[in-house]
Amino acid sequence: MSDQTYVTKDPRGPVTQLATPMRLDYLFTAGLSLSRNLRGYQRAEFVGQKCPVCGKVYVPSRGSCPVDGVALTEEVPLKNTGTVTTYCVVNVPFAGQSIKIPYICAQILLDGANLSFMGLIQECDVEDIHMGMRVEALWVDEADLVPSLASVKYFRPTGEPDADYETYREYL
Amino acid sequence: MSQIPAAKQGHRPVAVVAFAQSHVVRAETNSNEVEMLMPVVHEVFAKAGITKDDVGFICSGSTDYLIGGPFSFVTALDAIGVWPPKSESHVEMDGAWALYEAFVRLQEGDIDIALVYGFGKSSLGDLDKIFALQLDPYTMAPLNPDLVSLAALQARVVIDQGIATEEDFAAVAARSRRSALSNEFAQVRRDDSVEDLMAEPYAVSPLRRHCLPPISDGASAIVLVAGDRAFDLVERPAWITGIDHRIETHAIGARNLAVSTSTAKAAEMAGVGEGPVDLAEVHAPFASQEAILTTALGLPSSTVINPSGGALAANALMSGGLTRIGEAAQAILDGRAKRVVAHATSGPVLQQNLVCVLEGA
């Protein structure tokens, strides 16, 4: 409605804006498959789940092999070690930042897994981070273990020789 | 080979060849959406005797407002396994409208098989708050009118205009619950007397608890096949001989809530009245809405209404309308009916309605 057609005696003039705050709260269903991952974190273990069709091992899993559309049936225990497939160095401060900048965020492919996930790298100078770097997970103290990735304190370099590019080129 | 029944709108013949649904429950706490949907998709493929590789188009109906996360329909594709990539689409609506889109897509003629599914978990959030957000954002949504109160306003108009009484509502609920006794997938399966139901206190006058749909989690899926190929897959395909959907104004106060103009128009376009109707699956989440819809659809009194129990027995949001089409089609697939009508609704107090006529060969 334009000002030409709407006449109001209110000295503030016609209403031109309206704020309608809303808030929605939800429960979250992790599901059967992701629950196995989350319970693993609570035991300081990475639990991989294997697709019965293509044999790929997912960690974490959302419930199915997204390529074959079938439930993941077999649990595969994974070690704490993996390879940095790619990374970024965070130099930008932002609200709520809990880690001192600059710090490193990396995609980590655990040994024996076919899916990488994002993890924090510490005990590593930002100049030294590179693709193929071998890293290991450091878990929080047993009393602080929770069913989430927060149980992983961070990843740090193992000092091993770099992984061969061919071992992670499919996961970039 | 059997003859395909003539299509009302002269379209390429498309048939429902398979339907599957999950058990509809109050809260599916074990499985996430993908895990809830995956067995349903596997089952519908098995019933049709196809694999995902046979499918040329996928269309789904769901809403992110139920799960509380963005792009949940993309995640849901994990239940199918879309590799190699598939042509895929989604509607932020009940799966019945996804079926409509797939039906239209099959008219292109280059593909023959489409998968349609709908899924929703109503147990995760506050439905009254969520569904207030589908209202006009300036004058209605800020008032947060809850679902039951809006339906009660409509029910009051129904009573005032002499279309139905509170006893009629109770009779609809009693019949729906009793019908659901033979539907293992339904949620509210009981043999209640109208007298007992009428003794319940009002939830929101004039609606008692039995007039309200259950809160449900569930999923359903349908395989559509175009042309003679349907006869290769099943003995009695359920041919869509007419399908149409119409919408009314979002301004609830501008509508006569006791009349469903959009349903009547969609029914006319789909050709409901051009033959006998053995059974009808009517998507009336509130008991007070059934009379509005059966009147608008122009159903003869001989038509069996909601043998599945309908939305009063199981109301998985975003798949409830698709389930109506599936249940109606199943009667043809099973040889229990020759000509059936399915209806789906969306939006506040029957704002938008889809009507589908299915016939056996």
Side-chain angles (χ1 to χ4, degrees):
Chain A
M1 200 174 282
S2 73
D3 288 351
Q4 281 102 21
T5 56
Y6 184 76
V7 180
T8 176
K9 287 178 178 151
D10 192 311
R12 292 169 295 185
V15 175
T16 57
Q17 275 193 337
L18 173 70
T20 58
M22 66 106 159
R23 178 191 164 85
L24 298 172
D25 292 297
Y26 291 92
L27 297 170
F28 172 71
T29 310
L32 299 163
S33 184
L34 181 59
S35 291
R36 293 198 285 266
N37 287 122
L38 299 177
R39 291 300 177 197
Y41 299 141
Q42 208 168 16
R43 301 188 303 266
E45 287 173 20
F46 290 109
V47 177
Q49 294 178 56
K50 194 172 184 178
C51 172
V53 178
C54 68
K56 283 189 171 163
V57 174
Y58 295 94
V59 57
S61 157
R62 286 195 305 237
S64 74
C65 173
V67 173
D68 295 302
V70 296
L72 306 173
T73 44
E74 192 187 332
E75 286 190 23
V76 182
L78 298 171
K79 288 183 199 156
N80 286 343
T81 52
T83 300
V84 171
T85 61
T86 185
Y87 64 91
C88 84
V89 176
V90 179
N91 286 295
V92 183
F94 55 86
Q97 199 163 43
S98 57
I99 306 156
K100 194 167 148 277
I101 56 171
Y103 65 89
I104 306 157
C105 248
Q107 282 297 125
I108 294 153
L109 181 68
L110 288 180
D111 296 340
N114 298 96
L115 182 69
S116 66
F117 59 88
M118 191 178 280
L120 172 70
I121 307 282
Q122 299 270 271
E123 299 185 35
C124 175
D125 289 335
V126 294
E127 292 79 15
D128 295 335
I129 185 72
H130 56 271
M131 290 166 70
M133 179 184 260
R134 297 285 297 156
V135 293
E136 63 179 356
L138 195 72
W139 298 88
V140 297
D141 294 339
E142 199 175 332
D144 299 328
L145 287 169
V146 287
S148 87
L149 257 181
S151 288
V152 179
K153 209 169 181 179
Y154 53 77
F155 287 84
R156 64 184 175 191
T158 63
E160 295 168 89
D162 285 354
D164 182 21
Y165 179 65
E166 289 302 312
T167 63
Y168 62 89
R169 68 187 289 267
E170 290 291 322
Y171 303 98
L172 299 176
Chain B
M1 178 160 293
S2 300
Q3 206 66 25
I4 299 174
K8 156 90 178 162
Q9 293 134 318
H11 54 70
R12 184 188 187 205
V14 172
V16 173
V17 301
F19 165 60
Q21 61 182 316
S22 69
H23 282 92
V24 176
V25 295
R26 173 62 183 83
E28 176 48 73
T29 51
N30 283 330
S31 303
N32 62 24
E33 282 77 358
V34 169
E35 291 169 332
M36 183 173 77
L37 179 62
M38 194 161 42
V40 177
V41 170
H42 290 179
E43 186 186 337
V44 85
F45 282 159
K47 281 180 169 172
I50 61 167
T51 71
K52 66 188 175 87
D53 298 327
D54 296 310
V55 173
F57 182 63
I58 298 168
C59 199
S60 61
S62 68
T63 174
D64 287 350
Y65 280 86
L66 283 183
I67 188 172
F71 295 99
S72 54
F73 66 94
V74 178
T75 312
L77 284 170
D78 285 2
I80 322 295
V82 282
W83 188 266
K86 291 279 178 199
S87 172
E88 178 268 338
S89 184
H90 171 261
V91 294
E92 192 83 2
M93 306 171 82
D94 188 285
W97 276 266
L99 180 137
Y100 186 88
E101 180 175 336
F103 170 86
V104 171
R105 177 64 187 83
L106 288 168
Q107 299 305 310
E108 297 277 334
D110 57 327
I111 55 164
D112 296 331
I113 301 183
L115 168 69
V116 180
Y117 57 87
F119 64 96
K121 292 180 91 173
S122 310
S123 63
L124 304 178
D126 182 337
L127 292 184
D128 285 332
K129 280 188 180 168
I130 291 169
F131 279 88
L133 296 176
Q134 72 177 333
L135 302 168
D136 154 41
Y138 306 110
T139 61
M140 286 286 288
L143 301 173
N144 273 301
D146 63 89
L147 278 169
V148 178
S149 296
L150 283 179
L153 283 173
Q154 183 180 39
R156 179 60 65 197
V157 183
V158 166
I159 292 170
D160 288 351
Q161 296 192 9
I163 292 164
T165 63
E166 292 179 25
E167 286 77 12
D168 294 333
F169 301 164
V172 166
R175 191 207 67 229
S176 299
R177 293 171 171 198
R178 202 172 305 122
S179 297
L181 287 170
S182 53
N183 176 7
E184 62 164 309
F185 300 100
Q187 183 182 344
V188 184
R189 309 167 68 206
R190 298 162 59 101
D191 191 359
D192 292 320
S193 71
V194 171
E195 293 71 32
D196 286 349
L197 295 180
M198 285 301 288
E200 289 177 352
Y202 287 118
V204 177
S205 173
L207 298 179
R208 294 176 174 83
R209 188 178 165 86
H210 62 258
C211 300
L212 279 45
I215 295 173
S216 313
D217 291 355
S220 57
I222 277 176
V223 171
L224 291 180
V225 177
D228 287 336
R229 203 163 163 192
F231 289 116
D232 299 339
L233 299 176
V234 291
E235 196 184 336
R236 290 177 294 265
W239 296 98
I240 296 172
T241 54
I243 186 167
D244 197 78
H245 67 100
R246 302 278 156 167
I247 192 166
E248 294 171 53
T249 173
H250 65 282
I252 292 172
R255 289 166 49 196
N256 176 353
L257 295 179
V259 175
S260 185
T261 312
S262 50
T263 302
K265 184 64 180 173
E268 179 196 335
M269 298 303 289
V272 170
E274 294 172 22
V277 181
D278 298 336
L279 72 85
E281 282 286 339
V282 179
H283 191 197
F286 290 87
S288 43
Q289 293 172 334
E290 190 181 284
I292 302 171
L293 292 167
T294 52
T295 303
L297 289 164
L299 296 174
S301 59
S302 59
T303 300
V304 177
I305 308 289
N306 289 351
S308 68
L312 284 165
N315 188 41
L317 297 171
M318 316 317 284
S319 68
L322 184 67
T323 298
R324 304 280 71 73
I325 299 174
E327 291 281 6
Q330 193 65 51
I332 289 173
L333 292 164
D334 293 346
R336 287 183 279 122
K338 287 288 282 181
R339 189 170 189 271
V340 300
V341 167
H343 159 266
T345 195
S346 182
V349 282
L350 307 177
Q351 184 194 4
Q352 185 171 15
N353 294 281
L354 179 147
V355 178
C356 180
V357 178
L358 301 123
E359 297 183 42

